[in-house]
């Protein structure tokens, strides 16, 4: 999942009659952004409207990320800022949500005096009770993980929206137990959301004129609805439940068939759980974007094994080749972990050569950061020196930049369909839009508007962005 390094203060449409003020911000993955929309909805029923002014807030909530140590440090810094504000506004209450809340539990209250409330990712429905606890002067903690919570019936309040793209979560948790990863501990076991509630949510978004949906999960290809419950308990389901179960390929097919004008994306795909059925569904529907985020983490078989990834480098490359046979225009992005336990120069070269094979369009690359409680932290020494991690990371980033440029260059000279998302960051006179492969173009605004599907002639590019001119509305408009 893409990660935004900046926290975002979120705003929702205010509900008439609500008097209390909530300031909520999210760090980390898209799932956290999506969860904050659920929290805002739950608190909207409790008399809270959001504010963008930290100084005004009755309640401050920070949705946190534990994936790397740096993400946690960023949140700690934010708490210092809240502390300063609390000196001016002593009535303000502070709550920590998300993965750090789950990881640190009651310890948070001891370590950070500013924190009144600690709520894990499966406990947001308990927020009204927890707020009563803190009103009564008691500390409030709920970090219980659930086997069936999906918030399927909570209608999220769209926060910080451009009115064009929205996230819809379809699974929660992860069962994969990659040895480096804290997510299975902070988000619990995998469970899927009822397809009916997913389709209803997309219907609402379609009625509100949204144009693009991203289906979200830690591991979307593992989606399996058989009436509720943990994925790992599927074998215990009745014959009838098993026979009528819906997998990810079927869900995607249903969404694309029912909403032919809606662009669909999904994230994240895990190589070991990806089935070619999904790729056939992608090939069948024009409205499913031809882009896969397919993290590999390393190109070395030794590292993949130490990470408990359930595939080899050869199987991964074979998967990419098979996908391209079905959808030749598919674009790919990676996540890489550099300098994992025991990584040698040879392992590193294997990562570079795998990248040469795939030539990813985009990449998200990080130095390994040991996370307490994971199998790697318990069993494998974090033994690659920081300077070596840094140098290898830079080599990987440089190669990715070269491949990204190679990929953007393939679009130059072509006319492609793009969906306008908003103004270009660099120029108010240009739109920013995305094609099916998730590549961004900027072009002069003329009379087009946000949410239009436009055909753009691509004239130039950098490694990150295409530059072009609109030639007219596309037929999807
Ligand atoms: N399946 C999830 C993965 C979440 S973590 C998803 O939805 O994307 C996102 C990425 O963070 C991982 O793919 C991995 O590349 C990186 N990551 C996870 N744990 C890490 C660690 N301990 N150190 C460095 N990077 C890590
Ligand atoms: Fe983490 Fe591996 Fe799951 S990276 S989220 S344990 S697929």
């Amino acid at each position: 999942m893409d990660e935004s390094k900046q926290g975002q203060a979120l705003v929702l449409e205010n509900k008439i009659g609500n008097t209390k003020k909530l300031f909520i911000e999210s760090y980390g993955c898209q799932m956290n952004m999506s969860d904050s929309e659920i929290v805002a909805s739950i608190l909207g029923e409790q008399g809270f409207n959001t504010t963008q002014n930290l100084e005004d807030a009755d309640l401050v909530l920070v949705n946190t990320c534990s994936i790397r140590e740096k993400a946690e440090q960023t949140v700690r810094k934010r708490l210092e800022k809240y502390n300063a504000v609390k000196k001016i506004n002593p009535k303000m209450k502070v709550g920590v949500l998300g993965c750090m809340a789950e990881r640190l539990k009651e310890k948070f209250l001891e370590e950070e005096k500013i924190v009144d409330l600690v709520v894990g990712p499966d406990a947001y429905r308990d927020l009204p009770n927890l707020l009563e606890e803190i009103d009564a002067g008691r500390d409030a903690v709920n970090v219980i993980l659930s086997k069936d919570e999906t918030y399927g019936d909570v209608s999220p309040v769209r926060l910080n929206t451009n009115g064009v793209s929205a996230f819809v979560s379809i699974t929660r948790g992860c069962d994969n137990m990659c040895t480096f990863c804290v997510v299975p501990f902070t988000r619990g076991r995998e469970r899927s959301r009822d397809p009916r509630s997913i389709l209803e949510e997309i219907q609402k978004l379609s009625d509100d004129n949204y144009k693009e949906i991203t289906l979200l999960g830690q591991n979307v290809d593992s989606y399996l609805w058989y009436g509720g419950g943990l994925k790992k308990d599927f074998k215990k389901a009745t014959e009838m439940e098993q026979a009528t179960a819906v997998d990810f390929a079927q869900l995607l097919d249903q969404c694309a068939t029912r909403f032919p004008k809606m662009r669909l994306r999904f994230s994240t795909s895990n190589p070991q759980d990806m089935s070619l059925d999904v790729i056939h569904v992608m090939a069948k529907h024009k409205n499913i974007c031809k882009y896969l985020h397919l993290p590999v983490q390393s190109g070395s078989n030794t590292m993949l094994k130490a990470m408990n990834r359930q595939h080899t480098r050869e199987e991964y490359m074979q998967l990419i080749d098979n996908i391209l046979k079905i959808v030749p225009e598919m674009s790919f992005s990676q996540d890489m972990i550099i300098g994992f336990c025991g990584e040698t120069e040879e392992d590193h070269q294997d990562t570079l050569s795998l990248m040469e094979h795939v030539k990813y369009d985009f990449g998200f690359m990080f130095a390994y950061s040991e996370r307490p409680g994971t199998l790697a932290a318990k069993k494998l020494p974090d033994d690659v020196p920081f300077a070596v991690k840094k140098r290898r990371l830079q080599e990987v980033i440089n190669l990715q930049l070269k491949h990204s440029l190679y990929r953007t260059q393939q679009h130059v000279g072509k006319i492609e369909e793009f969906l306008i998302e908003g103004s270009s960051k660099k120029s108010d006179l240009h739109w920013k839009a995305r094609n099916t492969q998730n590549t961004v173009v900027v072009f002069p605004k003329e009379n087009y508007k946000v949410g239009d599907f436009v055909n753009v002639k691509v004239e130039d590019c950098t490694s990150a962005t295409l530059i072009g001119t609109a030639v007219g509305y596309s037929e999807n408009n």
Side-chain angles (χ1 to χ4, degrees), residues 1 31 34-35 122 149-151 168-175 187 189-194 198 215-225 231 246 248 251 267-268:
M1 253 178 243
M31 190 65 98
S34 169
D35 280 359
D122 285 348
E149 180 60 272
T150 61
Y151 302 109
V168 172
S169 73
I170 65 163
T171 70
R172 296 183 76 81
C174 184
D175 285 349
R187 288 191 163 267
R189 299 280 76 78
E190 216 168 275
R191 66 219 96 115
S192 299
R193 177 177 170 189
D194 188 339
I198 295 171
L215 304 175
L216 282 187
Q218 299 298 337
N219 183 4
V220 284
D221 297 282
S222 187
Y223 176 90
L224 189 65
W225 173 257
K231 164 96 183 245
V246 178
F248 183 58
L251 176 75
S267 186
T268 294

mmCIF file of all heavy atoms in Angstrom, residues 1 31 34-35 122 149-151 168-175 187 189-194 198 215-225 231 246 248 251 267-268:
data_model
loop_
_atom_site.group_PDB
_atom_site.id
_atom_site.type_symbol
_atom_site.label_atom_id
_atom_site.label_comp_id
_atom_site.label_asym_id
_atom_site.label_seq_id
_atom_site.Cartn_x
_atom_site.Cartn_y
_atom_site.Cartn_z
ATOM 1 N N MET A 1 0.830 -1.202 0.000
ATOM 2 C CA MET A 1 0.000 0.000 0.000
ATOM 3 C C MET A 1 0.865 1.252 0.000
ATOM 4 O O MET A 1 1.860 1.286 0.706
ATOM 5 C CB MET A 1 -0.807 0.005 1.282
ATOM 6 C CG MET A 1 -2.248 -0.322 1.037
ATOM 7 S SD MET A 1 -3.125 -0.366 2.581
ATOM 8 C CE MET A 1 -3.614 -2.057 2.574
ATOM 9 N N MET A 31 -5.043 2.081 4.408
ATOM 10 C CA MET A 31 -6.017 1.467 5.317
ATOM 11 C C MET A 31 -6.266 2.363 6.530
ATOM 12 O O MET A 31 -7.380 2.456 7.023
ATOM 13 C CB MET A 31 -5.488 0.097 5.742
ATOM 14 C CG MET A 31 -6.479 -0.737 6.489
ATOM 15 S SD MET A 31 -7.887 -1.197 5.494
ATOM 16 C CE MET A 31 -7.425 -2.824 5.008
ATOM 17 N N SER A 34 -8.545 5.121 5.476
ATOM 18 C CA SER A 34 -9.886 4.570 5.359
ATOM 19 C C SER A 34 -10.491 4.344 6.760
ATOM 20 O O SER A 34 -11.669 4.638 7.001
ATOM 21 C CB SER A 34 -9.784 3.279 4.550
ATOM 22 O OG SER A 34 -10.956 2.561 4.588
ATOM 23 N N ASP A 35 -9.689 3.851 7.699
ATOM 24 C CA ASP A 35 -10.178 3.635 9.066
ATOM 25 C C ASP A 35 -10.569 4.956 9.730
ATOM 26 O O ASP A 35 -11.534 5.005 10.493
ATOM 27 C CB ASP A 35 -9.092 2.959 9.921
ATOM 28 C CG ASP A 35 -9.020 1.455 9.677
ATOM 29 O OD1 ASP A 35 -9.816 0.946 8.869
ATOM 30 O OD2 ASP A 35 -8.171 0.798 10.302
ATOM 31 N N ASP A 122 -9.396 -2.789 15.738
ATOM 32 C CA ASP A 122 -10.678 -3.512 15.725
ATOM 33 C C ASP A 122 -11.648 -3.015 16.783
ATOM 34 O O ASP A 122 -12.709 -3.615 16.973
ATOM 35 C CB ASP A 122 -10.436 -5.018 15.940
ATOM 36 C CG ASP A 122 -9.865 -5.693 14.695
ATOM 37 O OD1 ASP A 122 -9.872 -5.057 13.626
ATOM 38 O OD2 ASP A 122 -9.410 -6.845 14.809
ATOM 39 N N GLU A 149 -14.758 -8.448 12.987
ATOM 40 C CA GLU A 149 -15.010 -7.023 12.728
ATOM 41 C C GLU A 149 -14.514 -6.623 11.338
ATOM 42 O O GLU A 149 -13.357 -6.882 11.000
ATOM 43 C CB GLU A 149 -14.296 -6.169 13.779
ATOM 44 C CG GLU A 149 -14.488 -4.668 13.618
ATOM 45 C CD GLU A 149 -15.944 -4.238 13.704
ATOM 46 O OE1 GLU A 149 -16.610 -4.251 12.641
ATOM 47 O OE2 GLU A 149 -16.416 -3.905 14.798
ATOM 48 N N THR A 150 -15.407 -6.034 10.528
ATOM 49 C CA THR A 150 -14.975 -5.462 9.239
ATOM 50 C C THR A 150 -15.534 -4.048 9.060
ATOM 51 O O THR A 150 -15.279 -3.417 8.049
ATOM 52 C CB THR A 150 -15.472 -6.314 8.048
ATOM 53 O OG1 THR A 150 -16.897 -6.331 8.067
ATOM 54 C CG2 THR A 150 -14.939 -7.736 8.084
ATOM 55 N N TYR A 151 -16.345 -3.564 10.006
ATOM 56 C CA TYR A 151 -17.008 -2.257 9.905
ATOM 57 C C TYR A 151 -17.852 -2.157 8.642
ATOM 58 O O TYR A 151 -18.067 -1.073 8.104
ATOM 59 C CB TYR A 151 -15.988 -1.108 9.952
ATOM 60 C CG TYR A 151 -15.135 -1.080 11.199
ATOM 61 C CD1 TYR A 151 -13.790 -1.415 11.147
ATOM 62 C CD2 TYR A 151 -15.674 -0.739 12.432
ATOM 63 C CE1 TYR A 151 -12.995 -1.402 12.295
ATOM 64 C CE2 TYR A 151 -14.896 -0.723 13.582
ATOM 65 C CZ TYR A 151 -13.561 -1.055 13.506
ATOM 66 O OH TYR A 151 -12.772 -1.034 14.627
ATOM 67 N N VAL A 168 -12.256 1.705 -0.589
ATOM 68 C CA VAL A 168 -13.263 0.833 0.012
ATOM 69 C C VAL A 168 -12.529 -0.379 0.574
ATOM 70 O O VAL A 168 -11.880 -1.111 -0.184
ATOM 71 C CB VAL A 168 -14.300 0.398 -1.053
ATOM 72 C CG1 VAL A 168 -15.236 -0.666 -0.498
ATOM 73 C CG2 VAL A 168 -15.096 1.606 -1.556
ATOM 74 N N SER A 169 -12.612 -0.588 1.877
ATOM 75 C CA SER A 169 -11.830 -1.712 2.406
ATOM 76 C C SER A 169 -12.617 -3.007 2.278
ATOM 77 O O SER A 169 -13.825 -3.037 2.465
ATOM 78 C CB SER A 169 -11.350 -1.434 3.821
ATOM 79 O OG SER A 169 -12.412 -1.524 4.697
ATOM 80 N N ILE A 170 -11.906 -4.078 1.932
ATOM 81 C CA ILE A 170 -12.570 -5.369 1.678
ATOM 82 C C ILE A 170 -12.062 -6.485 2.593
ATOM 83 O O ILE A 170 -12.749 -7.467 2.791
ATOM 84 C CB ILE A 170 -12.448 -5.795 0.196
ATOM 85 C CG1 ILE A 170 -10.997 -6.062 -0.215
ATOM 86 C CG2 ILE A 170 -13.091 -4.763 -0.728
ATOM 87 C CD1 ILE A 170 -10.872 -6.866 -1.510
ATOM 88 N N THR A 171 -10.841 -6.348 3.075
ATOM 89 C CA THR A 171 -10.367 -7.333 4.056
ATOM 90 C C THR A 171 -9.653 -6.578 5.165
ATOM 91 O O THR A 171 -9.220 -5.437 4.979
ATOM 92 C CB THR A 171 -9.344 -8.355 3.494
ATOM 93 O OG1 THR A 171 -8.114 -7.684 3.230
ATOM 94 C CG2 THR A 171 -9.832 -9.037 2.247
ATOM 95 N N ARG A 172 -9.540 -7.228 6.321
ATOM 96 C CA ARG A 172 -8.741 -6.670 7.409
ATOM 97 C C ARG A 172 -7.790 -7.750 7.898
ATOM 98 O O ARG A 172 -8.087 -8.941 7.799
ATOM 99 C CB ARG A 172 -9.632 -6.203 8.559
ATOM 100 C CG ARG A 172 -10.543 -5.066 8.166
ATOM 101 C CD ARG A 172 -11.361 -4.581 9.341
ATOM 102 N NE ARG A 172 -10.593 -3.770 10.272
ATOM 103 C CZ ARG A 172 -10.323 -2.477 10.116
ATOM 104 N NH1 ARG A 172 -10.745 -1.826 9.037
ATOM 105 N NH2 ARG A 172 -9.636 -1.809 11.020
ATOM 106 N N GLY A 173 -6.640 -7.303 8.442
ATOM 107 C CA GLY A 173 -5.674 -8.239 9.009
ATOM 108 C C GLY A 173 -4.856 -8.960 7.953
ATOM 109 O O GLY A 173 -5.029 -8.742 6.753
ATOM 110 N N CYS A 174 -3.934 -9.788 8.431
ATOM 111 C CA CYS A 174 -3.102 -10.568 7.519
ATOM 112 C C CYS A 174 -2.643 -11.837 8.213
ATOM 113 O O CYS A 174 -2.255 -11.810 9.380
ATOM 114 C CB CYS A 174 -1.885 -9.750 7.076
ATOM 115 S SG CYS A 174 -0.897 -10.643 5.857
ATOM 116 N N ASP A 175 -2.687 -12.946 7.472
ATOM 117 C CA ASP A 175 -2.284 -14.243 8.042
ATOM 118 C C ASP A 175 -0.896 -14.679 7.576
ATOM 119 O O ASP A 175 -0.484 -15.801 7.849
ATOM 120 C CB ASP A 175 -3.276 -15.346 7.600
ATOM 121 C CG ASP A 175 -4.591 -15.256 8.344
ATOM 122 O OD1 ASP A 175 -4.656 -14.498 9.333
ATOM 123 O OD2 ASP A 175 -5.549 -15.928 7.938
ATOM 124 N N ARG A 187 -2.845 -5.833 13.436
ATOM 125 C CA ARG A 187 -4.153 -5.817 12.764
ATOM 126 C C ARG A 187 -4.848 -7.178 12.810
ATOM 127 O O ARG A 187 -5.933 -7.333 12.261
ATOM 128 C CB ARG A 187 -4.011 -5.313 11.333
ATOM 129 C CG ARG A 187 -3.727 -3.821 11.299
ATOM 130 C CD ARG A 187 -3.847 -3.252 9.916
ATOM 131 N NE ARG A 187 -3.963 -1.803 9.964
ATOM 132 C CZ ARG A 187 -5.111 -1.142 9.993
ATOM 133 N NH1 ARG A 187 -6.246 -1.791 10.002
ATOM 134 N NH2 ARG A 187 -5.127 0.173 10.037
ATOM 135 N N ARG A 189 -5.845 -11.337 12.644
ATOM 136 C CA ARG A 189 -6.007 -12.346 11.590
ATOM 137 C C ARG A 189 -6.889 -11.816 10.472
ATOM 138 O O ARG A 189 -7.680 -10.893 10.650
ATOM 139 C CB ARG A 189 -6.629 -13.620 12.175
ATOM 140 C CG ARG A 189 -5.816 -14.318 13.288
ATOM 141 C CD ARG A 189 -4.679 -15.157 12.725
ATOM 142 N NE ARG A 189 -3.547 -14.345 12.272
ATOM 143 C CZ ARG A 189 -2.639 -13.805 13.067
ATOM 144 N NH1 ARG A 189 -2.675 -13.992 14.359
ATOM 145 N NH2 ARG A 189 -1.659 -13.067 12.581
ATOM 146 N N GLU A 190 -6.746 -12.492 9.344
ATOM 147 C CA GLU A 190 -7.432 -12.052 8.130
ATOM 148 C C GLU A 190 -8.928 -12.389 8.164
ATOM 149 O O GLU A 190 -9.300 -13.505 8.495
ATOM 150 C CB GLU A 190 -6.804 -12.835 6.987
ATOM 151 C CG GLU A 190 -6.663 -12.090 5.719
ATOM 152 C CD GLU A 190 -5.762 -12.895 4.795
ATOM 153 O OE1 GLU A 190 -4.537 -12.755 4.913
ATOM 154 O OE2 GLU A 190 -6.289 -13.673 4.009
ATOM 155 N N ARG A 191 -9.731 -11.396 7.787
ATOM 156 C CA ARG A 191 -11.176 -11.644 7.622
ATOM 157 C C ARG A 191 -11.686 -10.773 6.489
ATOM 158 O O ARG A 191 -11.090 -9.717 6.193
ATOM 159 C CB ARG A 191 -11.917 -11.387 8.935
ATOM 160 C CG ARG A 191 -11.909 -9.948 9.384
ATOM 161 C CD ARG A 191 -11.727 -9.877 10.912
ATOM 162 N NE ARG A 191 -10.347 -9.665 11.270
ATOM 163 C CZ ARG A 191 -9.898 -8.540 11.884
ATOM 164 N NH1 ARG A 191 -10.728 -7.580 12.232
ATOM 165 N NH2 ARG A 191 -8.622 -8.379 12.143
ATOM 166 N N SER A 192 -12.728 -11.216 5.853
ATOM 167 C CA SER A 192 -13.236 -10.516 4.672
ATOM 168 C C SER A 192 -14.594 -9.902 4.944
ATOM 169 O O SER A 192 -15.328 -10.347 5.821
ATOM 170 C CB SER A 192 -13.354 -11.499 3.504
ATOM 171 O OG SER A 192 -12.078 -12.018 3.194
ATOM 172 N N ARG A 193 -14.897 -8.895 4.146
ATOM 173 C CA ARG A 193 -16.140 -8.149 4.328
ATOM 174 C C ARG A 193 -17.204 -8.685 3.379
ATOM 175 O O ARG A 193 -16.904 -9.084 2.249
ATOM 176 C CB ARG A 193 -15.835 -6.683 4.037
ATOM 177 C CG ARG A 193 -17.011 -5.764 4.106
ATOM 178 C CD ARG A 193 -16.548 -4.333 3.859
ATOM 179 N NE ARG A 193 -17.689 -3.460 3.693
ATOM 180 C CZ ARG A 193 -17.613 -2.208 3.303
ATOM 181 N NH1 ARG A 193 -16.423 -1.670 3.036
ATOM 182 N NH2 ARG A 193 -18.702 -1.485 3.166
ATOM 183 N N ASP A 194 -18.452 -8.656 3.810
ATOM 184 C CA ASP A 194 -19.585 -9.122 3.021
ATOM 185 C C ASP A 194 -19.631 -8.393 1.662
ATOM 186 O O ASP A 194 -19.657 -7.159 1.621
ATOM 187 C CB ASP A 194 -20.869 -8.820 3.826
ATOM 188 C CG ASP A 194 -22.107 -9.428 3.197
ATOM 189 O OD1 ASP A 194 -22.075 -9.730 1.991
ATOM 190 O OD2 ASP A 194 -23.106 -9.579 3.921
ATOM 191 N N ILE A 198 -19.969 -4.266 0.380
ATOM 192 C CA ILE A 198 -18.962 -3.637 -0.499
ATOM 193 C C ILE A 198 -19.672 -3.009 -1.703
ATOM 194 O O ILE A 198 -19.445 -1.837 -2.046
ATOM 195 C CB ILE A 198 -17.916 -4.680 -0.966
ATOM 196 C CG1 ILE A 198 -17.118 -5.201 0.243
ATOM 197 C CG2 ILE A 198 -16.989 -4.095 -2.030
ATOM 198 C CD1 ILE A 198 -16.216 -6.386 -0.046
ATOM 199 N N LEU A 215 -10.050 -0.861 -4.027
ATOM 200 C CA LEU A 215 -10.405 -1.879 -3.039
ATOM 201 C C LEU A 215 -9.164 -2.150 -2.195
ATOM 202 O O LEU A 215 -8.083 -2.407 -2.742
ATOM 203 C CB LEU A 215 -10.865 -3.164 -3.732
ATOM 204 C CG LEU A 215 -12.037 -3.001 -4.704
ATOM 205 C CD1 LEU A 215 -12.323 -4.317 -5.422
ATOM 206 C CD2 LEU A 215 -13.295 -2.502 -3.989
ATOM 207 N N LEU A 216 -9.321 -2.077 -0.887
ATOM 208 C CA LEU A 216 -8.158 -2.127 0.003
ATOM 209 C C LEU A 216 -8.116 -3.357 0.891
ATOM 210 O O LEU A 216 -9.147 -3.787 1.400
ATOM 211 C CB LEU A 216 -8.195 -0.943 0.975
ATOM 212 C CG LEU A 216 -7.788 0.431 0.527
ATOM 213 C CD1 LEU A 216 -7.769 1.349 1.737
ATOM 214 C CD2 LEU A 216 -6.434 0.423 -0.152
ATOM 215 N N GLY A 217 -6.922 -3.870 1.063
ATOM 216 C CA GLY A 217 -6.691 -4.937 2.041
ATOM 217 C C GLY A 217 -5.200 -5.147 2.155
ATOM 218 O O GLY A 217 -4.454 -4.782 1.243
ATOM 219 N N GLN A 218 -4.740 -5.731 3.252
ATOM 220 C CA GLN A 218 -3.311 -6.044 3.365
ATOM 221 C C GLN A 218 -2.930 -7.058 2.302
ATOM 222 O O GLN A 218 -1.789 -7.124 1.873
ATOM 223 C CB GLN A 218 -2.983 -6.631 4.741
ATOM 224 C CG GLN A 218 -3.279 -5.708 5.902
ATOM 225 C CD GLN A 218 -2.473 -4.444 5.850
ATOM 226 O OE1 GLN A 218 -1.412 -4.401 5.235
ATOM 227 N NE2 GLN A 218 -2.972 -3.402 6.473
ATOM 228 N N ASN A 219 -3.917 -7.859 1.884
ATOM 229 C CA ASN A 219 -3.634 -8.973 0.993
ATOM 230 C C ASN A 219 -4.935 -9.290 0.248
ATOM 231 O O ASN A 219 -5.616 -10.257 0.563
ATOM 232 C CB ASN A 219 -3.181 -10.141 1.888
ATOM 233 C CG ASN A 219 -2.780 -11.342 1.115
ATOM 234 O OD1 ASN A 219 -2.748 -11.324 -0.107
ATOM 235 N ND2 ASN A 219 -2.489 -12.411 1.816
ATOM 236 N N VAL A 220 -5.268 -8.447 -0.737
ATOM 237 C CA VAL A 220 -6.609 -8.536 -1.350
ATOM 238 C C VAL A 220 -6.857 -9.880 -2.029
ATOM 239 O O VAL A 220 -7.992 -10.359 -2.063
ATOM 240 C CB VAL A 220 -6.872 -7.406 -2.385
ATOM 241 C CG1 VAL A 220 -7.167 -6.091 -1.707
ATOM 242 C CG2 VAL A 220 -5.791 -7.316 -3.403
ATOM 243 N N ASP A 221 -5.799 -10.497 -2.579
ATOM 244 C CA ASP A 221 -6.002 -11.752 -3.315
ATOM 245 C C ASP A 221 -6.461 -12.880 -2.407
ATOM 246 O O ASP A 221 -6.932 -13.908 -2.871
ATOM 247 C CB ASP A 221 -4.702 -12.167 -4.010
ATOM 248 C CG ASP A 221 -4.326 -11.131 -5.034
ATOM 249 O OD1 ASP A 221 -4.915 -11.138 -6.110
ATOM 250 O OD2 ASP A 221 -3.477 -10.278 -4.722
ATOM 251 N N SER A 222 -6.315 -12.657 -1.114
ATOM 252 C CA SER A 222 -6.709 -13.666 -0.149
ATOM 253 C C SER A 222 -8.176 -13.499 0.260
ATOM 254 O O SER A 222 -8.694 -14.274 1.062
ATOM 255 C CB SER A 222 -5.773 -13.519 1.045
ATOM 256 O OG SER A 222 -5.982 -14.535 1.945
ATOM 257 N N TYR A 223 -8.855 -12.483 -0.309
ATOM 258 C CA TYR A 223 -10.266 -12.227 0.028
ATOM 259 C C TYR A 223 -11.089 -13.505 -0.123
ATOM 260 O O TYR A 223 -10.982 -14.214 -1.136
ATOM 261 C CB TYR A 223 -10.833 -11.140 -0.906
ATOM 262 C CG TYR A 223 -12.315 -10.879 -0.687
ATOM 263 C CD1 TYR A 223 -12.745 -9.923 0.227
ATOM 264 C CD2 TYR A 223 -13.280 -11.612 -1.379
ATOM 265 C CE1 TYR A 223 -14.102 -9.696 0.445
ATOM 266 C CE2 TYR A 223 -14.632 -11.391 -1.161
ATOM 267 C CZ TYR A 223 -15.028 -10.437 -0.251
ATOM 268 O OH TYR A 223 -16.375 -10.221 -0.037
ATOM 269 N N LEU A 224 -11.903 -13.801 0.886
ATOM 270 C CA LEU A 224 -12.790 -14.960 0.804
ATOM 271 C C LEU A 224 -13.968 -14.753 1.742
ATOM 272 O O LEU A 224 -13.817 -14.735 2.968
ATOM 273 C CB LEU A 224 -12.036 -16.234 1.194
ATOM 274 C CG LEU A 224 -12.796 -17.531 0.928
ATOM 275 C CD1 LEU A 224 -13.036 -17.756 -0.552
ATOM 276 C CD2 LEU A 224 -12.030 -18.717 1.516
ATOM 277 N N TRP A 225 -15.149 -14.572 1.149
ATOM 278 C CA TRP A 225 -16.361 -14.396 1.948
ATOM 279 C C TRP A 225 -17.131 -15.707 1.950
ATOM 280 O O TRP A 225 -17.470 -16.238 0.897
ATOM 281 C CB TRP A 225 -17.220 -13.267 1.381
ATOM 282 C CG TRP A 225 -18.542 -13.188 2.076
ATOM 283 C CD1 TRP A 225 -19.742 -13.632 1.600
ATOM 284 C CD2 TRP A 225 -18.807 -12.643 3.376
ATOM 285 N NE1 TRP A 225 -20.730 -13.407 2.523
ATOM 286 C CE2 TRP A 225 -20.189 -12.797 3.634
ATOM 287 C CE3 TRP A 225 -18.007 -12.050 4.368
ATOM 288 C CZ2 TRP A 225 -20.788 -12.379 4.817
ATOM 289 C CZ3 TRP A 225 -18.610 -11.624 5.552
ATOM 290 C CH2 TRP A 225 -19.981 -11.790 5.760
ATOM 291 N N LYS A 231 -10.505 -16.109 7.897
ATOM 292 C CA LYS A 231 -10.139 -16.871 6.705
ATOM 293 C C LYS A 231 -9.636 -18.278 7.098
ATOM 294 O O LYS A 231 -9.951 -19.279 6.464
ATOM 295 C CB LYS A 231 -9.047 -16.096 5.962
ATOM 296 C CG LYS A 231 -8.285 -16.881 4.927
ATOM 297 C CD LYS A 231 -8.830 -16.705 3.545
ATOM 298 C CE LYS A 231 -8.118 -17.543 2.528
ATOM 299 N NZ LYS A 231 -7.396 -16.849 1.539
ATOM 300 N N VAL A 246 -17.324 -16.484 -1.965
ATOM 301 C CA VAL A 246 -16.914 -15.537 -3.010
ATOM 302 C C VAL A 246 -15.433 -15.240 -2.836
ATOM 303 O O VAL A 246 -15.012 -14.821 -1.753
ATOM 304 C CB VAL A 246 -17.727 -14.219 -2.889
ATOM 305 C CG1 VAL A 246 -17.292 -13.198 -3.922
ATOM 306 C CG2 VAL A 246 -19.215 -14.503 -2.997
ATOM 307 N N PHE A 248 -11.645 -13.391 -4.456
ATOM 308 C CA PHE A 248 -11.350 -12.037 -4.930
ATOM 309 C C PHE A 248 -11.670 -11.858 -6.415
ATOM 310 O O PHE A 248 -12.204 -10.822 -6.818
ATOM 311 C CB PHE A 248 -9.890 -11.657 -4.635
ATOM 312 C CG PHE A 248 -9.587 -10.243 -5.043
ATOM 313 C CD1 PHE A 248 -10.312 -9.193 -4.521
ATOM 314 C CD2 PHE A 248 -8.606 -9.972 -5.989
ATOM 315 C CE1 PHE A 248 -10.071 -7.872 -4.909
ATOM 316 C CE2 PHE A 248 -8.342 -8.662 -6.383
ATOM 317 C CZ PHE A 248 -9.077 -7.612 -5.840
ATOM 318 N N LEU A 251 -15.340 -11.359 -6.652
ATOM 319 C CA LEU A 251 -15.732 -10.036 -6.138
ATOM 320 C C LEU A 251 -15.416 -8.949 -7.154
ATOM 321 O O LEU A 251 -16.234 -8.073 -7.455
ATOM 322 C CB LEU A 251 -15.004 -9.751 -4.813
ATOM 323 C CG LEU A 251 -15.261 -8.353 -4.247
ATOM 324 C CD1 LEU A 251 -16.654 -8.249 -3.633
ATOM 325 C CD2 LEU A 251 -14.214 -7.968 -3.207
ATOM 326 N N SER A 267 -5.413 -2.907 -3.965
ATOM 327 C CA SER A 267 -4.086 -2.955 -3.363
ATOM 328 C C SER A 267 -4.218 -3.527 -1.958
ATOM 329 O O SER A 267 -5.171 -3.190 -1.270
ATOM 330 C CB SER A 267 -3.526 -1.539 -3.301
ATOM 331 O OG SER A 267 -2.215 -1.548 -2.861
ATOM 332 N N THR A 268 -3.347 -4.425 -1.533
ATOM 333 C CA THR A 268 -2.109 -4.872 -2.133
ATOM 334 C C THR A 268 -2.230 -6.333 -2.556
ATOM 335 O O THR A 268 -2.886 -7.125 -1.881
ATOM 336 C CB THR A 268 -0.987 -4.739 -1.082
ATOM 337 O OG1 THR A 268 -0.797 -3.361 -0.816
ATOM 338 C CG2 THR A 268 0.314 -5.315 -1.544
#
